Amino acid sequence: MRATFHVTAQTTWGQQVLVVGDVPALGGWDPARGLALDASGYPVWSGGTGLPPGTAVAYKYVLRNSDGSVTWEGGANRTTVTPPTGIFEAHDVFGEH
């Protein structure tokens, strides 16, 4: 099933926003393999990927700095269960959940 993530995030020049989570499509908690989001709608960053249907998914947003270091969103992991069919769409604010 198709999953689309939208997150409002204020960034500085050279930063990138990624979604990192517990499923392979979101990098298996490895920011180097996370889903990079597009800033064309800044300050809303967006991107999509395929996720398994009817599956519990945990994820967080990460800021990747121009030097390659990362800053994880604080707080608990975000969680959802993907629908059995159709699409999943997240509308989040970085650091608020």
Side-chain angles (χ1 to χ4, degrees):
M1 59 136 315
R2 183 76 180 158
T4 304
F5 295 87
H6 307 279
V7 62
T8 301
Q10 300 293 328
T11 58
T12 59
W13 183 255
Q15 285 184 316
Q16 184 176 30
V17 180
L18 303 103
V19 183
V20 181
D22 65 349
V23 294
L26 299 179
W29 293 120
D30 179 357
R33 298 182 315 155
L35 174 65
L37 301 180
D38 180 73
S40 62
Y42 186 85
V44 178
W45 294 71
S46 300
T49 189
L51 290 179
T55 302
V57 177
Y59 66 97
K60 280 193 168 199
Y61 295 101
V62 175
L63 297 178
R64 181 168 43 207
N65 301 303
S66 57
D67 66 2
S69 64
V70 296
T71 303
W72 288 82
E73 173 180 42
N77 295 337
R78 295 175 186 269
T79 58
T80 192
V81 176
T82 58
T85 61
I87 62 169
F88 165 77
E89 195 159 358
H91 295 272
D92 299 314
V93 176
F94 187 89
E96 295 180 14
H97 46 86

